[in-house]
Amino acid sequence: MAATQRKKKPKNQSAEAQFNYNLNSHSKSKDLRSALSLYDSSAAGETAVRLSQHHFNTLLYLCSISLADPSAKDLALEHGFRIYDHMVASGIKPNEASITSVARLAAAKGDGGYAFDLVKNLIAEKSLPRLRTYDPALFCFCEKLEADKAFEVEEHMESNGVVLEEAELAALLKVSSETGKQEKVYEYLQKLRKAVRCVRQETADVIRDWFDRFDCDGVELDAGLIRDAIARNGGGWHGLGWTGEGKWAVERGRVGVDGKCLCCGEQLACADIAEEETEIFARSITGLALDREVKANFSEFQDWLEKNGHYEAIIDAANVGLYQQNFSEGGFSISQVVKFRHGKQLDAVVKELYNRNGKKWPLIVLHNKRVRALLENASNRKFIEEWKENGALYTTPHGSNDDWYWLYAAVKLRCLLVTNDEMRDHIFELLGSSFFIKWKERHQVKYTFAKGTLKLQMPAPFSVVIQESEKGSWHVPIAGSDTEESAQTWLCITRTSSADKTPKESMTMEASENGHENCCKSHHPSDVSDSKTTAITGKRKERSPSHS
């Protein structure tokens, strides 16, 4: 048979098999009219087919997706509800897919209440709705500016564990804005900040429209209270409400590689996870480590760290020591295969951190079998002895996984972690933390040895996330094709009458096509060579050294 010959329909099919074949064919081609004709023949008893849940769901789905076609919308609405009523009358229980399709039909008629009732009934039947199940009711209420009903849907979603995404939050933000509910706008801006890093252009337009019309003064708050809230939240937002006075000025612009806004001159923050999240994270690591490690060993490390928690950086020593190693037996070497002029790579990292951080020793976490291997070489002993003498080495015991130790120390002490480990292994998957990625961006320091020179890649000097400053201004990154922080487009939103507004700095600017976007030509400071002595503390605030 030729490869291009069409596949023939099987002969001698039963009526049910032929019905299934035809319905699936119409579904694949999105042919609503043919599917409805097939359904009508079945409903009229012209075929000996008893319709199943799958059949009804396929028909309802075809009706719902046909709403986007103006020529088929009326047909879909006319037949969709009739098919659903037939389904219920036949004693077939609708599932989440059924309800989603019918809710879309209801919303297309402007009946958000019916769409919402369908979701409530689904829950009453002990079935779980999804985001898509709620969307028709939510978007319908938002489009009709029925703000309170939209808020009710959102509360219902949260109570059932359904997480809103950008499209839903943007719709709630817009209905809040257009109905003048400034406190709800603030609430949804904060939820948007938490849910997404960069907003779509459509969302940016909603935000801009709000600030263009919003001219109410904010509440007067003590500056210390705001700073404490920002520190407690990890930086980048305070969440205490609108602050500042005067009209808002909204500009599109860029942020320099040092984190300063090129529109208003304000320094953007490097956002960390909140203090509460940090404690939850540390407890999560502890629980998993105690379950998988020898309990006494890890507990001993926790006690030791409590007494010696003055470190500003932790080194995953095995990761550094094995950098670019490829020994057949998985060997560990404190130096690279090629002898670099700058000496041993692990000691080079230790010394670099020591010098950068005001002559403070980092904590080197290394398994005892690695330490024993190093001690076999006389040239390495001086390093080990020096680290021990200065309290810079913690040796993990036999049978332990040192990943738990260095990760716990970095989280608990809120400091930097030097490792190239991408932390995607099974032990990190066990954490299942929504803020793990955010924590890594703020605390992980990667490294390279290029032509004998150590280079530390520090965390970025600012975070590309929605930010709310101590002064009450906002900076919103807009999603696009740009991958470099310096090329990222932002909305800069400030109070025009702010008395302490930072003046714009002298900068190199380049006009964009529309003449209002700036870019700054500069080298990124996150790649730091070993010739610099900048302090590298990753902590949000100073810690008092514990007594040993």
Side-chain angles (χ1 to χ4, degrees), residues 226-250:
I226 296 176
R227 282 193 291 270
D228 287 345
I230 290 175
R232 186 170 59 251
N233 295 333
W237 65 285
H238 57 76
L240 298 177
W242 303 114
T243 59
E245 299 177 350
K247 288 186 65 65
W248 294 92
V250 184

Side-chain angles (χ1 to χ4, degrees), residues 294-312:
V294 175
K295 198 172 210 178
N297 291 340
F298 195 78
S299 295
E300 181 181 345
F301 174 66
Q302 288 181 292
D303 293 339
W304 179 88
L305 196 66
E306 192 67 31
K307 298 174 182 177
N308 300 276
H310 55 272
Y311 303 99
E312 301 289 355

Side-chain angles (χ1 to χ4, degrees), residues 252-272:
R252 283 172 64 94
R254 304 291 173 104
V255 173
V257 293
D258 58 354
K260 284 190 177 181
C261 175
L262 303 186
C263 292
C264 69
E266 190 160 24
Q267 177 68 46
L268 269 63
C270 189
D272 200 350

Side-chain angles (χ1 to χ4, degrees), residues 39 50-52 56 83-93:
Y39 164 73
R50 177 177 174 79
L51 298 183
S52 66
F56 281 113
I83 293 170
Y84 178 65
D85 290 340
H86 183 195
M87 180 183 189
V88 175
S90 300
I92 296 176
K93 182 180 177 181

Side-chain angles (χ1 to χ4, degrees), residues 316-330:
D316 173 9
N319 182 269
V320 176
L322 290 168
Y323 178 76
Q324 291 189 338
Q325 302 301 311
N326 189 25
F327 296 108
S328 59
E329 298 180 358

